[in-house]
């Protein structure tokens, strides 16, 4: 009997310049390059065991055996590594999601980044992080960026081989993020479906692609200069443009709810009242994320909780890139999970 084991942790990330649209659905090649901030507070731990006594791949999330459909997604992902390395055995995958229920944050980014690193570790695959991100990409595009910490760019590339993420800056210059978790239910339109519909039907879409490239160039310059306000302005404008493409799709749709708009109003009000820079961005769901200075976070949170329930206001500092865990770390992680720590 032979077993090959790998365990890894990856943090979630929030895009400041959004990935929105694929030019190749099968290879997960994006229409535009994107840039994100990795968050310290939310992560996924994953253990992969290739085991020659297994007769099929098995996937457990938060100790629950997953449906055949979920299982198949994981199997297909593992197949990429099996094809690359010649590995022939099946694997058991165990994942623990440490995303507080209230955060309502999509976990596919941290999930596939952790799975990619755990699988590569189990199989002894010696490739660079950048190259590993081309594997992660095939699970979920945004997961490319979760392999790295701080500000991370996913370069759209010219082919599957060079559409990869790389770190830009460790974001250790007074950066924070507030999450306004107005709705924690499952999203109604998956990002995958929403972006495809938008690419196909929004007359604004070509303009999105064009201006996202310009936004990316400018935000990288602003990050290099540590110009927080410029980074924030570009973040807010880019996110709004992404959502404008959904409103202009045919038929139109939106990820926002009345609570989203209320939370956006609260951000505008609080930044005006306090005179502090704070910039919002939304993803394929109703929650609002606010980029701010870490040193302003407490005052902003106090201001925001005058408008929103306290339990909806969460905070995070920038996080590090994905890393491998030891067996002892994994035991500890399971302990934290079963004590009902921060997870859903
Ligand atoms: C709005 O990475 O979830 O959050 O590649 O189809 O799995 P797939 O999509 P996904 O899309 C994320 C979209 C976004 C913006 C972003 O994270 O860049």
């Amino acid at each position: 009997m032979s077993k090959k084991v790998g365990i890894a942790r990856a943090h979630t990330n929030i895009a400041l310049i959004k990935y929105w649209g694929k030019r190749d659905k099968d290879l997960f090649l994006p229409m535009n390059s994107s840039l994100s901030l990795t968050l310290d507070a939310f992560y996924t731990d994953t253990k992969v065991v290739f085991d020659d006594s297994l007769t099929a791949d098995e996937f457990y999330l938060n100790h629950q055996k997953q449906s055949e459909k979920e299982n198949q997604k994981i199997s297909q992902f593992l197949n990429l590594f099996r094809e690359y390395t010649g590995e022939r055995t099946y694997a058991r995958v165990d994942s623990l999601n440490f995303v507080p229920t209230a955060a309502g944050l999509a976990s596919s980014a941290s999930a596939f980044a952790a799975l990619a690193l755990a699988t590569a570790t189990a199989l002894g695959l010696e490739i660079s992080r950048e190259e590993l991100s081309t594997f992660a990409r095939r699970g979920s595009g945004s997961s490319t960026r979760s392999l790295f910490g701080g500000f991370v760019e996913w370069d759209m590339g010219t082919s599957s081989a060079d559409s990869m993420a790389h770190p830009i800056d460790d974001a250790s210059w007074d950066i924070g993020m507030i999450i306004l978790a107005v709705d924690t239910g499952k999203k109604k339109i998956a990002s995958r479906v929403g972006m495809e519909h938008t690419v196909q039907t929004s007359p604004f879409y070509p303009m999105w692609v064009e201006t996202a490239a310009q936004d990316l160039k400018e935000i990288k310059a602003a990050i290099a200069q540590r110009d927080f306000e410029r980074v924030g302005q570009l973040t807010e404008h880019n996110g709004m443009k992404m959502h404008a493409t959904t409103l202009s799709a045919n038929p139109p749709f939106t990820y926002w709810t009345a609570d989203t708009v209320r939370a956006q109003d609260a951000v505008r009000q609080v930044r005006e009242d306090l005179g502090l820079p704070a910039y919002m961005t939304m993803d394929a769901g109703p929650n609002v994320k606010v980029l701010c200075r870490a040193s302003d976070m407490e005052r902003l949170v106090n201001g925001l909780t005058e408008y929103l329930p306290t339990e909806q206001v969460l905070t995070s500092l920038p996080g590090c890139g994905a890393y491998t865990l030891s067996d002892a770390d994994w035991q500890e992680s399971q302990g934290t999970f079963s004590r009902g720590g921060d997870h859903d």
Side-chain angles (χ1 to χ4, degrees):
M1 215 168 75
S2 116
K3 286 188 184 186
K4 295 174 184 163
V5 184
I7 315 172
R9 172 173 297 175
H11 293 86
T12 187
N13 74 76
I14 301 297
L16 309 184
I17 304 300
K18 308 293 185 192
Y19 146 50
W20 195 241
K22 293 182 181 67
R23 62 184 200 273
D24 186 320
K25 265 199 319 184
D26 298 329
L27 293 173
F28 288 72
L29 294 175
M31 285 287 221
N32 65 285
S33 300
S34 54
L35 186 140
S36 61
L37 178 66
T38 300
L39 298 186
D40 174 55
F42 316 112
Y43 58 91
T44 303
D45 286 352
T46 295
K47 179 175 185 176
V48 180
V49 182
F50 286 89
D51 179 343
D52 60 9
S53 69
L54 290 174
T55 53
D57 292 321
E58 294 174 7
F59 175 40
Y60 293 79
L61 175 60
N62 299 342
H63 300 304
Q64 311 275 332
K65 195 169 184 2
Q66 297 299 293
S67 67
E68 193 43 43
K69 194 172 155 219
E70 289 305 310
N71 217 65
Q72 235 169 30
K73 264 197 230 166
I74 300 297
S75 261
Q76 274 171 12
F77 187 73
L78 295 174
N79 283 343
L80 300 171
F81 288 86
R82 280 189 281 248
E83 278 155 25
Y84 190 84
T85 59
E87 176 65 36
R88 302 173 97 102
T89 63
Y90 292 110
R92 175 180 164 123
V93 174
D94 275 281
S95 276
L96 298 174
N97 240 349
F98 290 84
V99 180
T101 310
L105 294 172
S107 50
S108 69
S110 54
F112 281 101
L115 181 59
L117 182 57
T119 306
T121 306
L123 298 179
L125 193 60
E126 285 181 14
I127 56 174
S128 69
R129 264 310 155 91
E130 279 83 355
E131 200 177 341
L132 185 59
S133 76
T134 67
F135 282 84
R137 195 192 72 227
R138 309 275 296 271
S140 185
S142 52
S143 74
T144 54
R145 301 181 310 236
S146 274
L147 284 167
F148 299 99
F151 293 112
V152 184
E153 179 183 6
W154 169 18
D155 188 335
M156 63 187 284
T158 57
S159 68
S160 188
D162 66 358
S163 182
M164 54 174 61
H166 55 265
I168 293 287
D169 181 289
D170 65 6
S172 61
W173 38 286
D174 198 14
I175 304 284
M177 193 165 266
I178 301 171
I179 292 96
L180 305 176
V182 298
D183 182 339
T184 60
K186 206 171 151 54
K187 47 180 135 172
K188 291 179 187 67
I189 304 169
S191 38
R192 201 161 294 181
V193 176
M195 65 173 83
E196 188 180 359
H197 178 62
T198 304
V199 173
Q200 286 170 354
T201 65
S202 169
F204 292 1
Y205 192 76
M207 192 58 88
W208 158 259
V209 174
E210 210 175 290
T211 67
Q214 185 60 28
D215 290 347
L216 181 73
K217 221 196 240 169
E218 288 184 35
I219 206 167
K220 281 164 70 178
I223 290 170
Q225 289 158 9
R226 301 195 166 193
D227 182 345
F228 173 73
E229 301 203 4
R230 188 71 193 129
V231 170
Q233 287 159 358
L234 287 158
T235 296
E236 188 163 306
H237 190 202
N238 183 269
M240 293 295 181
K241 285 189 286 187
M242 180 204 120
H243 288 274
T245 68
T246 73
L247 291 174
S248 55
N250 192 12
F253 69 105
T254 182
Y255 287 106
W256 299 359
T257 64
D259 289 332
T260 308
V261 177
R262 261 191 289 277
Q264 293 171 347
D265 280 344
V267 174
R268 290 189 188 96
Q269 194 61 50
V270 167
R271 73 181 166 199
E272 199 181 305
D273 290 350
L274 300 176
L276 296 175
Y279 302 92
M280 58 188 130
T281 185
M282 284 67 57
D283 291 296
N287 299 324
V288 176
K289 293 102 185 189
V290 184
L291 183 70
C292 62
R293 290 192 196 281
S295 54
D296 291 338
M297 203 136 68
E298 204 179 315
R299 282 203 290 161
L300 286 166
V301 166
N302 288 339
L304 287 164
T305 48
E306 285 184 24
Y307 297 89
L308 301 164
T310 320
E311 67 276 9
Q312 288 185 358
V313 183
L314 309 161
T315 59
S316 182
L317 292 172
C320 63
Y323 55 94
T324 55
L325 298 177
S326 67
D327 231 6
D329 296 331
W330 176 250
Q331 297 304 329
E332 198 180 313
S333 173
Q334 289 198 308
T336 311
F337 189 87
S338 60
R339 279 194 300 279
D342 282 349
H343 62 75
D344 58 5

